[in-house]
Amino acid sequence: MAVREILKMGDPRLLRVAEPVRDFNTPELDALIADMFDTMHHANGAGLAAPQIGVNLQLVIYGFKQNERYPDAPSVPETVLINPVLTALSERKEDDFEGCLSVPGLRASVPRFTHLRYEGVDQHNKPISRDVTGFHARVVQHEVDHLLGILYPMRIEDFSKFGYTEVMFPDMDPNDDD
Ligand code: NI
């Protein structure tokens, strides 16, 4: 297991459409997932997508009990989601601030669907289907966007709500500025 380098915005590997995972229960997949959790926890992230460490597969992880980067967010179960499909269950979207480990030091308010169903499989190819709302729905939309080559700044509608974390959220720990 190892903490891997997180690619930053501008790297063309973050703009690719990821390939489906086809082989399960392999040492390679298990090692990749372990590295992703090490990397996410090391960065205090709420989620991480495989393309962020340069692996072009449809694999995201997320979840936390309490997250320093999103102190007001309710807990999200720790999840490995592979080959995901999202379905909005309402047309309604809401704006809220998010950041990204690939876009360090910045935050923006981004519209996301408030209520969605996500389906896919876990690391053992076991089906996952959940209907979620709020921050859980936001995290999943953000992470799955990484599999489509989309970073959150590409979703911003109001650029007056895009700025440096240390300026907009001065009370936040500077070590969690991304
Ligand atoms: Ni991100």
Side-chain angles (χ1 to χ4, degrees), residues 160-178:
S160 73
K161 291 180 180 154
F162 183 34
Y164 290 97
T165 312
E166 64 182 11
V167 177
M168 293 194 298
F169 301 98
D171 295 335
M172 197 167 279
D173 184 334
N175 292 319
D176 296 316
D177 68 349
D178 51 7

Side-chain angles (χ1 to χ4, degrees), residues 5 9-10 29 88 91 100 102 112 126 143 152 154 160:
E5 183 193 355
M9 183 169 65
L29 185 65
E91 286 302 302
C100 179
S102 294
R112 299 287 187 187
K126 191 168 142 247
E143 297 310 328
Y152 81 78
M154 297 154 75
S160 73

